[in-house]
Amino acid sequence: MAKLTYIKAITDGLDVVLGEDPKTLIFGEDVGKNGGVFRTTQGLQDKYGEDRVFDTPLAESGILGLSIGLAATGWRPIPEIQFMGFTFEAVDSLGGQMSRNRFRFSGKRAMPITVRTPFGGGTHTAEMHADNLENYYIGTPGLRVVTPANPYDAKGMVISAVENNDPVLFLENLKLYRSMKDEIPEGKYTVPLDTAKVAREGSDITIVAYSAEVNESLKVADKLAKENISAEVIDLRSLSPIDTDTIFKSVEKTHKVVIVQEAQKMAGVGAHVASEIAEHAIMNLDAPIGRVAAPDTVYPWAQVENDWLPNADDIEEKVREILNY
Amino acid sequence: MAKKTGHVIDFASIKATMSDPYKKTFQIVDENAKIVNQELFDTFSDDQLVDFMKKMVWERALHEQTMNFSRQGRLGFYAPTYGEEASEMGSVSAFKDQDFLFPAYRDLPQLIQHGASVTQGFLWSKGNAVGDDYGETRNWFPQIIIGAQYVESAGAALGIKKNGEKDAVAFVYTGDGGTSQGDFYEGVNFASSFQAPEVFMVQNNGWAISVPRKTQTAAETLAQKGVASGVPAVQVDGMDVLAVYLATKEAREFAAAGNGPVLVETLTYRYGAHSSAGDDPSRYRTKEEEKPWFDRDPLIRMRKILTDKGLWSQDQEDKLVEEYKDSFKASMKEAENTPTQSVVDMLKTTFEEPTPQIKADIARFEAKESK
């Protein structure tokens, strides 16, 4: 066991899969000698060589297209898109190509591709370097979208993603990269790609969140506990598919729910969770579904960012509103 | 130079000459069936010459039969290949089994020559994904988002290189319109950056639905689009099956030997409509404009060459066409007797492990389908 940051936990997970499977390849912009602009792939080229960990020309559609052709010739690609905003350049590869190929080949050919990309905000980056585009990608059949909220899950889930035989969009939270540490077991362990986790048990209200907002929600739960209010926090982990069973079970117990996301409110993850609850569990509720989300503007530039991002105060306010309904 | 033109840099002269190396269109037999390169012509055996002719007759018969099937409502989307027989059969004849083919939607004849069946081609057109189950053959599905096949094939070429395969390349096709896509440049550049074994085929048939070649680019050739990425290229008479074959074979050998990718532009013509789905070329081009291309027909020149050599007769060709068409009719029967796909089939091939939602949908549609 060692105490590792979120980013080091991912590096550790990548090290495990590169060591285990000689068919795995890491590539993208700056991932080689430089170890990625965030150093997520630091040391991996030295350890596994330039054939396995390599830089590509600067073109995101090229990088993901390359992944598809490499998968077609027996490789297990782990491409990095430097920032999630840059996936706009590669939407066809994600939505038009890799996610549809299993169907196209009648289930006979697989696309075992893990597309890693940092997302989320709060780090005052340049425009398009912080973004929450998960709302675009969860509507892509054939593509799994997952995001760990802590270092332990980050390592276990990146290993599961690479071992999965379908394309996985693996979202790494920018703000969590260096702000969180966990005891991380050495070597291989996996965390499932399609189940939510009860991050904190409670009985009065359910808070459904993912990625950095899980930590914000946990802060709120801690605070409320001092007033003898027991909030249950669910970390979705997988945004597509969404583990609705875990949510329904919780709502059955608490009868109240607040859904939290960093992304804009329109459509997307929270909207889908709300609709699933409305469709299948509404009779268990004794208050309206509460939602906390960013306003429907484009992702803000640095000066507005802190005011724009939903934080613990916003969550607390909404939770109290639903509790007092 | 500055003194002479009055300019610091003589862009006018750079522009006037930059296409020159790519304008020497490679040709062996011209449109009048005259052998313009006897030395290269003599490298072909009689059997080879007859084989090329047979393949082109096969492709044209396939075109005629598919158009019949389309009129009868027995096919879905189908892109006619009429006029492009030399370009398609000449290039695919240079393939080896271990080569990976990334076709676009007008490249079904090459897919079939490279190991897919005619029945599969028909199933694809009819909207049954069973048509894309290519087994162990190195075929990829006919790409619809033109350009995507370029970046993907670059990955396959890199995969072939990383596999340590000594005599294999990736082949990819697009048309003149496809060369305008960003993915075209990314694919060519990636393959070149990795010096991966790949042959980029650009079948310049003059038209992207209604948009003429000249609207795609002010560059005088499409071949020269390789040069900025460090990819050698050639423009070939795409109505001369022997020239297309030899240029493609040479390109393949160069790439397979580890010298990096090559680009081949074939000058050909789309005689017919863009697709079977209601495109009408008379809306955007004239018969006068089409005529010179019909005069350059690849079958006419090969027919004359072979007839002069006593290797071919119209009677023989008519019989072949009948034979081919009978086999296509049998393939159509087979396609029509193939079970249609169901929603359950789709659900089961969306993920390896169906998600809970998909499992629920499978149960729902199985119940529906069993009614």
Side-chain angles (χ1 to χ4, degrees), chain A residues 256-267:
Chain A
K256 292 182 177 63
V257 62
V258 169
I259 305 160
V260 183
Q261 66 183 30
E262 204 177 288
Q264 294 89 330
K265 192 172 186 184
M266 180 76 178

Side-chain angles (χ1 to χ4, degrees), chain B residues 106-123:
Chain B
R106 209 177 300 283
D107 304 312
L108 251 57
Q110 299 98 296
L111 256 180
I112 295 164
Q113 291 291 332
H114 195 48
S117 67
V118 173
T119 306
Q120 281 181 288
F122 291 162
L123 283 167

